[in-house]
Amino acid sequence: MAVFFPKHEIIAQTRAITTLESGWKFQKGDFKNAMEVNFDDSKWQNVSVPHDWAIYGPFDKEIDKQNVAIVQNGEKVASEKTGRTGALPHIGTAWYRTQFDISESDLSKKVILLFEGAMSEPQIFLNGKKIGEWAYGYSYFYFDISEFIKKGKNTLAVQLTNKAFASRWYPGAGLYRKVSLITKNKESINQWGTFITTPFISKESAKVNVKTKVSVENGTLVTTIFNAEETALGSDKSTLEFGQEFDQNIKVKNPNLWSPENPYLYKAVTQFFVEGVLKDEVTTRFGIREIKYEANKGFSLNGEVTKFKGVCLHHDLGPLGTAVNIAALRRQLVILKDMGCNAIRSSHNMPSFEQLQLCDEMGFMFLAESFDEWAKPKVENGYNRFFEAYAEKDIVNLVHATRNHPSIVMWSSGNEVPDQWGNEGVKRAKWLQDLFHREDPTRPVTVGMDQVKATMESGFGALLDVPGLNYRVHLYEEAFDKFPQGFILGSETASTVSSRGIYKFPVEKASMKTYPDFQSSSYDFEYCSWSNLPDDDFVLQDDKPWVIGEFVWTGFDYLGEPTPYDNSWPSRSSYFGISDLAGLPKDRFYLYRSRWNTDAETLHILPHWNWEGREGEKTPVFVYTNYDAAELFVNGKSMGIQKKNPSTPQNRYRLMWMDVIYQPGSIKVVAFDKTGHPVAENEIKTAGKPYQIVLKSDRKIIKADGKDLVFVEVAVVDKNGIPCPTATNQLQFKVSGNGKFRAACNGDATSLELFHLPTMKLFSGKLVVLVESTKVAGPMELLVSGKGLQKGRLKLQATH
């Protein structure tokens, strides 16, 4: 289909987007004149952005030591807390400086400087003059710098300040997301000025509504929709009639609907003309999909009732810190997809653009959250300081920047805010929800509530579009009865704690259980004082149609908040993850997978079978499987058949042999289908001494762009190739060729080894090494060595 242009159309240069990635100078510390053009930064560190300056450590108990009672955890008496924000040196002031060129022709244009995240309280200077500031480290913001630019070199300086007691987890530090320069004509489409919705959908056609705000009160807009195969499907040409906003409707025949199973994306190319001259052009990806939230029915996507099988994610990427990296984000989503996860909650902040882009492409529904605090504080220097002045601006930017992502199906205005108590909090909840509705009438708003009794009485929970309960499984029935919406969302669930590959005896359900080694048991029977086991949520999800899904705390371990060891140095990262900080699945991963991934077979055995010193003692064996029954064999001897049954939540979702006596050798499980026929088996053997290092990568070929990553799982095996699950060998890493060592992580929440040094101990027999490309294409090799071990080698390739 041809694109419509006005007569005598003249093609002109439209807009240029330059990512300010390389060429930055960085220095931690406060410098009075660092904004000046002639300031000497020659001795500063050369860095590229995105950049997290605190992730390089060292870990230090004194950095975030606090004497505090954590109200969200039900504490009433203050005690010393360590590692709460990751024990990494993120507190203090730091500066970034760079230069960019402006041509003579650009002086007459509109130039915008866009920050996608700056931690935190950024002060922005251009050519020695302050051009603006922001407060919230998670927010996206931009400034029109047209009046500040000059021909030739322009000097940009950014001051960032992280205060102590400003976060409940590791916030990161620095320009941790992209910075971009957008140059366009003065007559142009506004920044984030396009809003695409699909108000009518049938099998035969979809109505695509495109609202576009522009900078002038005249002109013509041509919008053309293309499918994923780049075929033009429909076009509309409009002239302005009211103010500076166009409103176009375009028909798409036989629409291909977006869903987690079919993440199909269209794109709209919008061209703005003034007097026949093309002044601006913007391309917007979008999906055609319909969402509904209905009483007693729940959430529907494209007319089908769908439950959220979701996880909560903090924004750090483990050993990379908070510096956004699309390869690391993609790996997370691949792991979650394999588990059967279909939704993500950004906790408790605005998501990165890269994460949303990947969720659109890979098929994840998204709950986009804004704040962890409103006007009442959780921490001394938190968002409460900025709420009155910035909340509306932050919500507007969040919605405008991300509203075209089909993955986003819900907004969240807050998480466990102390404002749940009292009349003022109810008014704030309504004010914030109204702001979201004003900016986006198409999606509902929720709040993660932990003070459920209080919100029942005050009206706080009743006014929300979607009542979100954080834990409080014992209150679901009462909340459903009292709240008018007719459904409940598990906005934060489980908070079960475990350490990958670590098992504790006796095996029993326990709250806030601690051990001398500061690890939690991977039998998945341990949880927190406010939380519960995964199976308790499964019962509600399966038996109550009015429970519309859950978002598990958390998909991956994250830096900081080392509950239940927040007063036990050296614990410095969480134990909540379904996968650990390195992205390695814990046993719990397979419990969720057995229920969520209905297209794949799951047959997982725990614990490992290396228990020297436990001979003759009870060592329970659990099996996480999508089959209903299985038989366990120890060294060939049957331990009987177990069947899932509803006697307890755990018996309903797990197979458990509680009286197994440990003997070295093997444990094998044989699963049966519904007719009683054996259909699958799995076996674990006792390993000998560590002998050889083995490497397995998530990819073999990456981009030679200087930032793409390969994640290499490193393990050791004995002479017979059997994995050694208790190995703790110290390993060394060396990358040769057209790549470089980037980081390593073993998932041990108590390890003080630095991520960026090329050596680390195995934890429970494994760790992960990150290899980064250079900008030169060609081969690279990772060599992993350890004393007394056969070396591991892995050949990789970087291409343009």
Side-chain angles (χ1 to χ4, degrees):
M1 175 176 290
V3 179
F4 300 125
F5 294 112
K7 289 183 179 179
H8 312 299
E9 172 243 336
I10 303 170
I11 297 294
Q13 182 183 5
T14 54
R15 62 169 60 201
I17 301 175
T18 304
T19 302
L20 302 181
E21 182 177 74
S22 58
W24 288 89
K25 289 285 192 174
F26 164 78
Q27 186 63 48
K28 189 175 179 183
D30 201 0
F31 301 89
K32 289 184 179 180
N33 301 316
M35 75 287 291
E36 300 294 342
V37 173
N38 59 359
F39 180 84
D40 183 7
D41 59 15
S42 59
K43 294 182 180 179
W44 285 17
Q45 184 181 353
N46 295 308
V47 300
S48 60
V49 169
H51 178 245
D52 177 355
W53 51 259
I55 192 63
Y56 299 98
F59 295 104
D60 186 344
K61 177 181 179 180
E62 300 302 317
I63 285 170
D64 54 7
K65 188 167 68 175
Q66 305 176 23
N67 194 64
V68 64
I70 302 176
V71 177
Q72 286 69 41
N73 296 1
E75 297 178 1
K76 296 181 179 178
V77 178
S79 62
E80 182 179 285
K81 302 292 192 297
T82 54
R84 195 177 183 200
T85 54
L88 288 161
H90 70 280
I91 296 165
T93 298
W95 283 85
Y96 290 83
R97 287 169 53 88
T98 193
Q99 291 185 324
F100 57 85
D101 286 315
I102 292 291
S103 66
E104 179 80 39
S105 60
D106 288 341
L107 293 175
S108 60
K109 294 187 176 183
K110 179 176 285 190
V111 182
I112 286 174
L113 186 62
L114 169 63
F115 291 83
E116 297 178 18
M119 191 65 68
S120 56
E121 301 183 47
Q123 308 281 315
I124 316 298
F125 303 87
L126 187 63
N127 299 325
K129 294 180 180 179
K130 185 174 179 178
I131 60 169
E133 63 184 15
W134 211 260
Y136 196 28
Y138 294 106
S139 196
Y140 336 114
F141 61 94
Y142 63 90
F143 300 112
D144 184 341
I145 60 171
S146 306
E147 64 182 276
F148 298 97
I149 58 174
K150 63 181 183 179
K151 182 182 176 182
K153 296 285 183 186
N154 287 255
T155 301
L156 173 64
V158 182
Q159 181 191 46
L160 298 171
T161 304
N162 277 359
K163 287 184 168 60
F165 315 121
S167 180
R168 299 190 297 122
W169 56 84
Y170 176 67
L175 295 175
Y176 69 103
R177 291 178 182 165
K178 285 196 301 186
V179 180
S180 302
L181 199 67
I182 302 165
T183 306
K184 58 183 182 176
N185 294 309
K186 284 189 163 57
E187 307 99 328
S188 55
I189 298 166
N190 290 0
Q191 179 68 19
W192 305 326
T194 304
F195 185 18
I196 300 178
T197 59
T198 53
F200 173 81
I201 299 171
S202 71
K203 287 185 178 179
E204 292 74 30
S205 65
K207 175 184 177 181
V208 178
N209 178 257
V210 184
K211 292 182 173 66
T212 308
K213 290 186 176 180
V214 295
S215 62
V216 293
E217 293 189 357
N218 65 309
T220 302
L221 197 75
V222 177
T223 297
T224 305
I225 292 176
F226 296 84
N227 63 16
E229 293 73 42
E230 298 291 332
T231 302
L233 304 178
S235 190
D236 182 84
K237 182 175 74 171
S238 305
T239 55
L240 273 173
E241 295 183 16
F242 303 102
Q244 294 169 231
E245 184 176 30
F246 292 90
D247 195 331
Q248 300 173 300
N249 290 298
I250 303 171
K251 183 178 182 178
V252 173
K253 294 180 180 179
N254 305 314
N256 199 337
L257 303 188
W258 185 96
S259 70
E261 298 75 28
N262 179 52
Y264 191 90
L265 295 173
Y266 294 85
K267 74 175 181 181
V269 177
T270 303
Q271 298 169 310
F272 181 50
F273 299 87
V274 177
E275 296 180 352
V277 177
L278 178 63
K279 292 293 185 180
D280 200 6
E281 182 177 305
V282 171
T283 298
T284 308
R285 296 201 312 173
F286 69 97
I288 297 176
R289 55 107 178 103
E290 179 184 54
I291 58 172
K292 283 185 180 178
Y293 296 79
E294 301 170 277
N296 302 311
K297 186 176 181 182
F299 170 72
S300 297
L301 177 66
N302 302 327
E304 294 187 14
V305 174
T306 302
K307 293 235 181 185
F308 294 110
K309 299 181 290 187
V311 299
C312 301
L313 292 180
H314 268 315
H315 69 307
D316 79 66
L317 294 168
L320 296 174
T322 60
V324 72
N325 180 281
I326 201 161
L329 288 166
R330 185 184 291 109
R331 174 181 178 248
Q332 282 192 338
L333 295 180
V334 168
I335 291 167
L336 291 173
K337 200 78 171 179
D338 178 57
M339 189 173 70
C341 173
N342 69 4
I344 289 167
R345 173 189 180 217
S346 61
S347 317
H348 307 287
N349 45 262
M350 289 78 169
S352 69
F353 295 165
E354 290 87 348
Q355 187 179 42
L356 292 174
Q357 173 191 328
L358 288 169
C359 286
D360 288 347
E361 295 172 356
M362 297 175 67
F364 287 87
M365 296 178 289
F366 208 94
L367 198 175
E369 197 154 84
S370 48
F371 309 123
D372 189 51
E373 279 186 3
W374 294 349
K376 291 186 177 181
K378 292 181 186 178
V379 290
E380 181 182 329
N381 290 317
Y383 188 74
N384 65 88
R385 295 181 294 139
F386 313 123
F387 181 79
E388 295 297 338
Y390 274 90
E392 181 171 0
K393 292 190 287 188
D394 285 330
I395 285 175
V396 167
N397 282 8
L398 166 63
V399 175
H400 287 193
T402 66
R403 60 192 173 184
N404 295 317
H405 289 279
S407 54
I408 297 180
V409 296
M410 198 188 321
W411 305 110
S412 169
S413 63
N415 170 70
E416 297 183 359
V417 292
D419 314 65
Q420 289 168 92
W421 298 91
N423 295 333
E424 286 301 314
V426 178
K427 293 172 183 175
R428 288 184 192 116
K430 185 178 188 308
W431 176 65
L432 292 168
Q433 183 164 276
D434 288 347
L435 287 177
F436 276 105
H437 289 168
R438 184 190 75 194
E439 302 303 325
D440 174 18
T442 72
R443 296 177 177 94
V445 181
T446 190
V447 170
M449 300 181 292
D450 62 334
Q451 303 301 321
V452 180
K453 285 283 192 180
T455 64
M456 288 179 187
E457 300 305 319
S458 67
F460 185 109
L463 71 85
L464 299 174
D465 297 329
V466 178
L469 267 61
N470 284 10
Y471 316 106
R472 311 303 187 265
V473 290
H474 61 288
L475 295 176
Y476 269 52
E477 293 275 5
E478 185 180 354
F480 174 64
D481 182 55
K482 288 193 174 181
F483 291 154
Q485 295 90 341
F487 52 81
I488 296 289
L489 171 68
S491 45
E492 194 168 308
T493 64
S495 271
T496 307
V497 291
S498 60
S499 303
R500 178 182 53 78
I502 302 295
Y503 306 92
K504 301 296 186 180
F505 305 95
V507 178
E508 54 191 7
K509 288 191 279 187
S511 171
M512 302 301 282
K513 188 71 180 288
T514 58
Y515 302 92
D517 63 356
F518 304 150
Q519 305 291 351
S520 293
S521 178
S522 202
Y523 273 107
D524 302 321
F525 263 6
E526 296 176 4
Y527 52 98
C528 300
S529 56
W530 67 88
S531 65
N532 52 271
L533 298 180
D535 324 67
D536 303 329
D537 291 301
F538 294 169
V539 170
L540 289 164
Q541 302 298 326
D542 287 346
D543 293 356
K544 308 297 182 184
W546 44 265
V547 178
I548 66 173
E550 66 171 317
F551 289 87
V552 181
W553 192 262
T554 53
F556 295 85
D557 277 331
Y558 55 93
L559 293 161
E561 230 174 15
T563 314
Y565 294 108
D566 50 15
N567 59 355
S568 303
W569 183 254
S571 293
R572 46 71 175 156
S573 61
S574 79
Y575 298 77
F576 297 118
I578 295 172
S579 292
D580 70 16
L581 197 69
L584 296 170
K586 302 179 185 178
D587 292 292
R588 197 163 5 118
F589 175 94
Y590 300 96
L591 180 60
Y592 283 97
R593 189 179 191 271
S594 69
R595 184 172 167 275
W596 282 359
N597 189 343
T598 56
D599 296 328
E601 176 182 282
T602 299
L603 187 59
H604 177 75
I605 309 172
L606 63 135
H608 61 71
W609 213 237
N610 271 59
W611 295 107
E612 186 176 355
R614 282 192 60 82
E615 291 81 1
E617 296 188 46
K618 280 188 180 180
T619 306
V621 174
F622 289 8
V623 169
Y624 297 157
T625 180
N626 57 312
Y627 297 108
D628 290 329
E631 185 173 8
L632 177 69
F633 297 87
V634 177
N635 293 334
K637 182 180 179 181
S638 175
M639 297 291 109
I641 295 173
Q642 290 286 346
K643 297 181 179 180
K644 293 178 184 175
N645 68 76
S647 60
T648 70
Q650 282 68 52
N651 289 109
R652 182 171 173 178
Y653 297 102
R654 317 177 189 209
L655 300 176
M656 300 181 290
W657 290 260
M658 300 302 293
D659 297 323
V660 176
I661 302 300
Y662 174 66
Q663 305 166 17
S666 75
I667 50 175
K668 184 173 79 170
V669 64
V670 177
F672 303 101
D673 63 16
K674 293 185 183 299
T675 64
H677 290 92
V679 287
E681 65 177 55
N682 193 11
E683 185 175 20
I684 293 177
K685 295 181 179 179
T686 304
K689 292 181 180 179
Y691 173 75
Q692 183 177 3
I693 297 167
V694 292
L695 309 180
K696 182 176 71 174
S697 64
D698 65 334
R699 293 183 295 160
K700 291 289 180 68
I701 300 173
I702 60 173
K703 294 179 182 176
D705 60 3
K707 53 191 174 184
D708 203 3
L709 297 170
V710 175
F711 289 80
V712 182
E713 183 180 317
V714 180
V716 293
V717 297
D718 68 8
K719 285 187 177 181
N720 296 315
I722 300 170
C724 301
T726 61
T728 59
N729 304 66
Q730 188 80 39
L731 303 182
Q732 289 77 41
F733 323 117
K734 183 179 180 181
V735 178
S736 57
N738 296 302
K740 56 185 177 180
F741 170 79
R742 178 65 179 85
C745 185
N746 61 14
D748 179 1
T750 70
S751 172
L752 300 182
E753 293 186 277
L754 300 181
F755 299 124
H756 65 286
L757 298 183
T759 180
M760 186 167 283
K761 279 186 176 181
L762 292 163
F763 177 65
S764 295
K766 291 183 179 180
L767 55 77
V768 171
V769 172
L770 286 66
V771 178
E772 187 174 62
S773 66
T774 65
K775 292 189 176 182
V776 179
M780 63 184 90
E781 182 179 79
L782 170 65
L783 173 67
V784 182
S785 59
K787 187 176 180 181
L789 297 171
Q790 296 286 314
K791 296 175 181 178
R793 296 178 185 273
L794 183 67
K795 294 185 183 298
L796 304 163
Q797 186 77 24
T799 62
H800 285 304

